[in-house]
Amino acid sequence: MIMLPDKNGYFGQFGGRFVPETLMSAIFELEDFYKKAKIDKSFKKELNYYLKNYAGRPTPLYFAERLSKKLGLKVYLKREDLCHTGSHKINNALGQALLAKRIGKNRIIAETGAGQHGVATATVCALFGIKCVVYMGSEDIKRQALNVFRMKMLGAEVVPVNSGSKTLKDAINEALRDWVTNIKTTHYIIGSCVGPHPYPMIVRDFQSVIGKEAKRQILEVEKHLPDYLLACVGGGSNSIGLFYPFYKHKSVKFIGVEAGGLGLFSGKHSASLERGKTGILHGTKSIILQNKDGQISQTHSISAGLDYPGVGPEHSFYKQTGRAEYVSVTDNEALNGFKLLSETEGIIPALESSHAIAYLPRLSKKAKNKVVIVCLSGRGDKDLDIVFSNMHK
């Protein structure tokens, strides 16, 4: 496997550790424990046990026959929506909670946008009997009320964040402040492949179970690798988890789909890789949405999980080196994707995943009959109120 990141946590020019001195000891401690756990057979055995018997892995690779016929593509869906808690977030939450137990931390904090990572973290904390605090922007609390209720039912404390745009970026800021204050007792489970090294590597590794399974499954049914991998990108955890195990297979094209919001020239979108520039956010160097003075821009997406002004550093590296192509679809296109999959396959996708589905009609114009794997990162129950209100405006 390709050695990314390097020993200092860089993917090319992106990554690194840009954090206060007070966090450095915890960062080094986490890296040290992770390196040992990664090669420890007992850790892998324990994680695989919970992935199989608790999270429900492997998830199916489902051939979407009616959708394929409609588009003139051969579309397979990697069904992360069928994981316990309804999204791919449980893969990383389980891995990091087991790491926290090894380190001896008895309190876990997390941040969440759409609520899926918060629910996954609250779930594993209930499973292992660990105190859990989840930071969430008050705007996201309003649009993801069902997931807030689920977190509370699981015993987590949900702390509303009222600063800034009251969304994911601001929730991460508050979680980092908590971590600095409670560094000795607390592990911070970051939910996406963002943050200071080693987080982008750890989250990618725990999520790469998606791509490893997909590779094995597509070879079994098609007898060859896919032509395209397609996934939505906010911070980028589900997409990097699908892409990474195919990195060295250059014939497999990667497409990441960002949130175009109300349009790339509206100023109301979250398409960091299409419209951002290099900067530092939440402890890592990556491509970030910022104004001409270098201040972080306000973002917008109909999907709370994609409403973030940055992206994981590995995605920035893929963009810079041309290994992956990044595109965007608007809120309205995402709603059409939501409807398209619901009506053709009887599967209601999360609004995050709907962005990836919405790009398929565009892809079909240049890739007739090609084999495409789409990561269906989560299920859409949580988004029904948003979809209902937008479809009846």
Side-chain angles (χ1 to χ4, degrees):
M1 185 55 74
I2 308 298
M3 288 299 292
L4 289 171
D6 66 20
K7 63 180 182 181
N8 295 314
Y10 280 88
F11 304 83
Q13 66 168 279
F14 303 105
R17 306 179 183 94
F18 299 86
V19 295
E21 192 63 32
T22 46
L23 287 182
M24 288 305 285
S25 61
I27 292 284
F28 286 128
E29 179 184 57
L30 176 61
E31 184 180 12
D32 186 48
F33 270 89
Y34 179 65
K35 281 180 179 173
K36 290 174 184 168
K38 197 173 178 177
I39 56 173
D40 184 335
K41 288 182 181 176
S42 67
F43 180 83
K44 286 194 273 191
K45 185 178 178 184
E46 188 176 19
L47 177 59
N48 286 337
Y49 170 81
Y50 284 108
L51 288 174
K52 178 182 177 183
N53 298 295
Y54 189 74
R57 305 207 69 89
T59 57
L61 185 72
Y62 166 72
F63 176 54
E65 188 173 356
R66 289 193 68 226
L67 180 64
S68 297
K69 190 174 180 183
K70 185 178 181 73
L71 297 175
L73 290 167
K74 208 163 183 183
V75 180
Y76 288 86
L77 303 175
K78 184 57 178 161
R79 296 290 309 274
E80 295 302 292
D81 59 314
L82 294 181
C83 284
H84 178 46
T85 72
S87 84
H88 70 294
K89 295 293 187 184
I90 192 73
N91 306 322
N92 170 57
L94 276 170
Q96 287 205 49
L98 290 173
L99 265 183
K101 279 178 63 183
R102 285 199 161 207
I103 300 171
K105 301 290 176 74
N106 57 18
R107 179 176 180 265
I108 279 177
I109 58 170
E111 87 300 321
T112 194
Q116 295 293 65
H117 173 56
V119 169
T121 302
T123 297
V124 298
C125 286
L127 173 66
F128 297 127
I130 304 173
K131 180 176 173 56
C132 180
V133 178
V134 180
Y135 289 89
M136 190 170 188
S138 53
E139 184 61 31
D140 289 339
I141 285 177
K142 272 191 264 178
R143 30 183 193 175
Q144 297 293 343
L146 179 59
N147 273 341
V148 174
F149 182 65
R150 290 171 76 194
M151 284 181 262
K152 290 181 176 176
M153 284 293 292
L154 290 160
E157 178 188 356
V158 181
V159 180
V161 177
N162 294 305
S163 57
S165 57
K166 305 172 187 174
T167 57
L168 181 58
K169 166 178 71 71
D170 313 291
I172 295 177
N173 289 339
E174 289 305 315
L176 284 169
R177 286 190 189 102
D178 181 315
W179 200 25
V180 170
T181 308
N182 300 290
I183 198 81
K184 288 186 179 175
T185 60
T186 300
H187 174 67
Y188 178 13
I189 298 186
I190 292 183
S192 195
C193 53
V194 300
H197 178 68
Y199 277 109
M201 174 181 69
I202 289 176
V203 175
R204 176 203 66 195
D205 288 354
F206 286 143
Q207 293 295 2
S208 67
V209 66
I210 302 170
K212 288 174 185 170
E213 286 178 7
K215 186 192 283 188
R216 191 168 61 244
Q217 291 165 322
I218 199 72
L219 285 173
E220 190 176 326
V221 292
E222 289 287 340
K223 312 301 181 194
H224 61 81
L225 294 174
D227 298 296
Y228 291 91
L229 301 179
L230 187 62
C232 64
V233 178
S237 65
N238 88 95
S239 44
I240 211 67
L242 177 64
F243 293 169
Y244 182 63
F246 291 86
Y247 183 86
K248 67 179 180 182
H249 301 291
K250 303 299 183 189
S251 66
V252 182
K253 298 179 177 64
F254 301 167
I255 301 178
V257 186
E258 296 189 295
L262 302 184
L264 293 185
F265 298 98
S266 68
K268 293 187 175 181
H269 61 81
S270 305
S272 307
L273 288 162
E274 282 208 274
R275 303 296 293 173
K277 55 186 179 182
T278 301
I280 293 170
L281 177 64
H282 296 140
T284 195
K285 185 177 181 184
S286 193
I287 297 177
I288 296 160
L289 288 172
Q290 49 198 303
N291 65 22
K292 60 183 174 55
D293 298 319
Q295 297 299 307
I296 304 302
S297 300
Q298 298 282 327
T299 54
H300 162 82
S301 172
I302 193 170
S303 164
L306 303 183
D307 199 347
Y308 182 66
V311 67
E314 191 161 359
H315 281 294
S316 295
F317 174 72
Y318 285 11
K319 162 91 175 178
Q320 187 185 53
T321 58
R323 182 63 187 90
E325 177 187 4
Y326 294 91
V327 298
S328 62
V329 304
T330 64
D331 288 351
N332 284 336
E333 287 177 298
L335 287 169
N336 289 337
F338 186 97
K339 202 165 172 230
L340 175 64
L341 190 64
S342 300
E343 292 181 350
T344 55
E345 297 293 339
I347 298 171
I348 298 176
L351 276 172
E352 289 82 1
S353 313
S354 300
H355 283 71
I357 298 294
Y359 186 70
L360 284 171
R362 278 199 245 165
L363 180 63
S364 70
K365 292 176 184 171
K366 62 178 182 181
K368 279 289 176 197
N369 301 317
K370 296 293 185 183
V371 175
V372 184
I373 295 178
V374 180
C375 188
L376 205 63
S377 58
R379 67 183 187 219
D381 315 40
K382 66 185 179 61
D383 295 319
L384 289 175
D385 286 347
I386 299 170
V387 173
F388 180 85
S389 61
N390 277 275
M391 283 185 169
H392 292 80
K393 277 183 178 176

